[in-house]
PDB file of all heavy atoms in Angstrom:
ATOM      1  N   ALA A  16     -38.198   4.775  29.992  1.00 62.00           N
ATOM      2  CA  ALA A  16     -36.987   4.058  29.849  1.00 62.00           C
ATOM      3  C   ALA A  16     -36.882   3.273  28.572  1.00 62.00           C
ATOM      4  O   ALA A  16     -35.898   3.273  27.867  1.00 62.00           O
ATOM      5  CB  ALA A  16     -36.745   3.124  31.075  1.00 62.00           C
ATOM      6  N   ALA A  17     -38.042   2.634  28.240  1.00 64.00           N
ATOM      7  CA  ALA A  17     -38.104   1.907  26.988  1.00 64.00           C
ATOM      8  C   ALA A  17     -37.931   2.866  25.793  1.00 64.00           C
ATOM      9  O   ALA A  17     -37.258   2.563  24.832  1.00 64.00           O
ATOM     10  CB  ALA A  17     -39.416   1.153  26.897  1.00 64.00           C
ATOM     11  N   LEU A  18     -38.546   4.012  25.848  1.00 64.00           N
ATOM     12  CA  LEU A  18     -38.481   4.990  24.803  1.00 64.00           C
ATOM     13  C   LEU A  18     -37.017   5.449  24.659  1.00 64.00           C
ATOM     14  O   LEU A  18     -36.469   5.592  23.551  1.00 64.00           O
ATOM     15  CB  LEU A  18     -39.358   6.171  25.057  1.00 64.00           C
ATOM     16  CG  LEU A  18     -39.400   7.291  24.016  1.00 64.00           C
ATOM     17  CD1 LEU A  18     -39.900   6.757  22.688  1.00 64.00           C
ATOM     18  CD2 LEU A  18     -40.282   8.413  24.539  1.00 64.00           C
ATOM     19  N   ALA A  19     -36.409   5.752  25.794  1.00 66.00           N
ATOM     20  CA  ALA A  19     -34.976   6.137  25.752  1.00 66.00           C
ATOM     21  C   ALA A  19     -34.110   5.071  25.194  1.00 66.00           C
ATOM     22  O   ALA A  19     -33.147   5.330  24.384  1.00 66.00           O
ATOM     23  CB  ALA A  19     -34.546   6.568  27.161  1.00 66.00           C
ATOM     24  N   LEU A  20     -34.384   3.814  25.531  1.00 68.00           N
ATOM     25  CA  LEU A  20     -33.610   2.657  25.068  1.00 68.00           C
ATOM     26  C   LEU A  20     -33.755   2.568  23.495  1.00 68.00           C
ATOM     27  O   LEU A  20     -32.807   2.461  22.788  1.00 68.00           O
ATOM     28  CB  LEU A  20     -34.028   1.399  25.719  1.00 68.00           C
ATOM     29  CG  LEU A  20     -33.315   0.146  25.310  1.00 68.00           C
ATOM     30  CD1 LEU A  20     -31.814   0.256  25.677  1.00 68.00           C
ATOM     31  CD2 LEU A  20     -33.917  -1.080  25.976  1.00 68.00           C
ATOM     32  N   VAL A  21     -35.031   2.665  23.042  1.00 68.00           N
ATOM     33  CA  VAL A  21     -35.296   2.601  21.600  1.00 68.00           C
ATOM     34  C   VAL A  21     -34.603   3.765  20.876  1.00 68.00           C
ATOM     35  O   VAL A  21     -33.994   3.577  19.829  1.00 68.00           O
ATOM     36  CB  VAL A  21     -36.804   2.524  21.324  1.00 68.00           C
ATOM     37  CG1 VAL A  21     -37.104   2.691  19.872  1.00 68.00           C
ATOM     38  CG2 VAL A  21     -37.353   1.185  21.806  1.00 68.00           C
ATOM     39  N   SER A  22     -34.734   4.979  21.490  1.00 73.00           N
ATOM     40  CA  SER A  22     -34.139   6.123  20.901  1.00 73.00           C
ATOM     41  C   SER A  22     -32.606   5.974  20.807  1.00 73.00           C
ATOM     42  O   SER A  22     -31.967   6.287  19.834  1.00 73.00           O
ATOM     43  CB  SER A  22     -34.553   7.410  21.665  1.00 73.00           C
ATOM     44  OG  SER A  22     -33.826   8.510  21.179  1.00 73.00           O
ATOM     45  N   GLY A  23     -32.015   5.457  21.896  1.00 72.00           N
ATOM     46  CA  GLY A  23     -30.587   5.253  21.965  1.00 72.00           C
ATOM     47  C   GLY A  23     -30.143   4.243  20.949  1.00 72.00           C
ATOM     48  O   GLY A  23     -29.138   4.382  20.220  1.00 72.00           O
ATOM     49  N   MET A  24     -30.907   3.140  20.737  1.00 77.00           N
ATOM     50  CA  MET A  24     -30.615   2.109  19.780  1.00 77.00           C
ATOM     51  C   MET A  24     -30.669   2.677  18.336  1.00 77.00           C
ATOM     52  O   MET A  24     -29.859   2.384  17.536  1.00 77.00           O
ATOM     53  CB  MET A  24     -31.595   0.915  19.954  1.00 77.00           C
ATOM     54  CG  MET A  24     -31.357   0.074  21.162  1.00 77.00           C
ATOM     55  SD  MET A  24     -32.590  -1.146  21.476  1.00 77.00           S
ATOM     56  CE  MET A  24     -32.879  -1.914  19.927  1.00 77.00           C
ATOM     57  N   TYR A  25     -31.688   3.541  18.118  1.00 75.00           N
ATOM     58  CA  TYR A  25     -31.801   4.175  16.757  1.00 75.00           C
ATOM     59  C   TYR A  25     -30.551   5.046  16.525  1.00 75.00           C
ATOM     60  O   TYR A  25     -29.969   5.021  15.461  1.00 75.00           O
ATOM     61  CB  TYR A  25     -33.014   5.024  16.712  1.00 75.00           C
ATOM     62  CG  TYR A  25     -33.156   5.795  15.422  1.00 75.00           C
ATOM     63  CD1 TYR A  25     -33.557   5.150  14.218  1.00 75.00           C
ATOM     64  CD2 TYR A  25     -32.825   7.139  15.343  1.00 75.00           C
ATOM     65  CE1 TYR A  25     -33.614   5.843  12.969  1.00 75.00           C
ATOM     66  CE2 TYR A  25     -32.886   7.814  14.148  1.00 75.00           C
ATOM     67  CZ  TYR A  25     -33.262   7.157  12.983  1.00 75.00           C
ATOM     68  OH  TYR A  25     -33.316   7.808  11.797  1.00 75.00           O
ATOM     69  N   THR A  26     -30.109   5.782  17.531  1.00 81.00           N
ATOM     70  CA  THR A  26     -28.969   6.667  17.396  1.00 81.00           C
ATOM     71  C   THR A  26     -27.740   5.817  17.117  1.00 81.00           C
ATOM     72  O   THR A  26     -26.931   6.144  16.259  1.00 81.00           O
ATOM     73  CB  THR A  26     -28.747   7.494  18.686  1.00 81.00           C
ATOM     74  OG1 THR A  26     -29.921   8.285  18.912  1.00 81.00           O
ATOM     75  CG2 THR A  26     -27.565   8.418  18.520  1.00 81.00           C
ATOM     76  N   VAL A  27     -27.510   4.754  17.839  1.00 79.00           N
ATOM     77  CA  VAL A  27     -26.359   3.873  17.668  1.00 79.00           C
ATOM     78  C   VAL A  27     -26.480   3.277  16.260  1.00 79.00           C
ATOM     79  O   VAL A  27     -25.463   3.209  15.555  1.00 79.00           O
ATOM     80  CB  VAL A  27     -26.315   2.760  18.773  1.00 79.00           C
ATOM     81  CG1 VAL A  27     -25.266   1.701  18.392  1.00 79.00           C
ATOM     82  CG2 VAL A  27     -25.973   3.409  20.127  1.00 79.00           C
ATOM     83  N   ARG A  28     -27.628   2.781  15.878  1.00 83.00           N
ATOM     84  CA  ARG A  28     -27.806   2.169  14.578  1.00 83.00           C
ATOM     85  C   ARG A  28     -27.497   3.167  13.486  1.00 83.00           C
ATOM     86  O   ARG A  28     -26.805   2.879  12.467  1.00 83.00           O
ATOM     87  CB  ARG A  28     -29.220   1.662  14.411  1.00 83.00           C
ATOM     88  CG  ARG A  28     -29.477   0.979  13.125  1.00 83.00           C
ATOM     89  CD  ARG A  28     -30.887   0.380  13.137  1.00 83.00           C
ATOM     90  NE  ARG A  28     -31.311   0.034  11.773  1.00 83.00           N
ATOM     91  CZ  ARG A  28     -32.516  -0.144  11.434  1.00 83.00           C
ATOM     92  NH1 ARG A  28     -33.436  -0.078  12.318  1.00 83.00           N
ATOM     93  NH2 ARG A  28     -32.819  -0.426  10.240  1.00 83.00           N
ATOM     94  N   SER A  29     -27.939   4.409  13.645  1.00 86.00           N
ATOM     95  CA  SER A  29     -27.681   5.485  12.674  1.00 86.00           C
ATOM     96  C   SER A  29     -26.153   5.738  12.572  1.00 86.00           C
ATOM     97  O   SER A  29     -25.634   5.902  11.485  1.00 86.00           O
ATOM     98  CB  SER A  29     -28.404   6.745  13.095  1.00 86.00           C
ATOM     99  OG  SER A  29     -28.164   7.784  12.243  1.00 86.00           O
ATOM    100  N   GLN A  30     -25.522   5.779  13.738  1.00 87.00           N
ATOM    101  CA  GLN A  30     -24.047   6.028  13.703  1.00 87.00           C
ATOM    102  C   GLN A  30     -23.312   4.866  13.007  1.00 87.00           C
ATOM    103  O   GLN A  30     -22.356   5.121  12.326  1.00 87.00           O
ATOM    104  CB  GLN A  30     -23.537   6.202  15.160  1.00 87.00           C
ATOM    105  CG  GLN A  30     -23.998   7.507  15.778  1.00 87.00           C
ATOM    106  CD  GLN A  30     -23.688   7.623  17.223  1.00 87.00           C
ATOM    107  OE1 GLN A  30     -23.277   6.642  17.915  1.00 87.00           O
ATOM    108  NE2 GLN A  30     -23.781   8.792  17.858  1.00 87.00           N
ATOM    109  N   ILE A  31     -23.759   3.662  13.292  1.00 89.00           N
ATOM    110  CA  ILE A  31     -23.141   2.484  12.676  1.00 89.00           C
ATOM    111  C   ILE A  31     -23.325   2.618  11.174  1.00 89.00           C
ATOM    112  O   ILE A  31     -22.384   2.345  10.366  1.00 89.00           O
ATOM    113  CB  ILE A  31     -23.713   1.197  13.215  1.00 89.00           C
ATOM    114  CG1 ILE A  31     -23.182   0.991  14.655  1.00 89.00           C
ATOM    115  CG2 ILE A  31     -23.287  -0.008  12.326  1.00 89.00           C
ATOM    116  CD1 ILE A  31     -23.813  -0.193  15.340  1.00 89.00           C
ATOM    117  N   ASN A  32     -24.543   2.923  10.726  1.00 90.00           N
ATOM    118  CA  ASN A  32     -24.813   3.003   9.309  1.00 90.00           C
ATOM    119  C   ASN A  32     -23.923   4.146   8.630  1.00 90.00           C
ATOM    120  O   ASN A  32     -23.359   3.960   7.600  1.00 90.00           O
ATOM    121  CB  ASN A  32     -26.320   3.361   9.049  1.00 90.00           C
ATOM    122  CG  ASN A  32     -27.169   2.152   9.248  1.00 90.00           C
ATOM    123  OD1 ASN A  32     -26.721   1.002   9.257  1.00 90.00           O
ATOM    124  ND2 ASN A  32     -28.460   2.338   9.391  1.00 90.00           N
TER     125      ASN A  32
END
Side-chain angles (χ1 to χ4, degrees):
L18 181 62
L20 181 64
V21 169
S22 175
M24 287 172 46
Y25 175 78
T26 301
V27 168
R28 183 175 162 197
S29 176
Q30 290 173 348
I31 290 172
N32 286 343

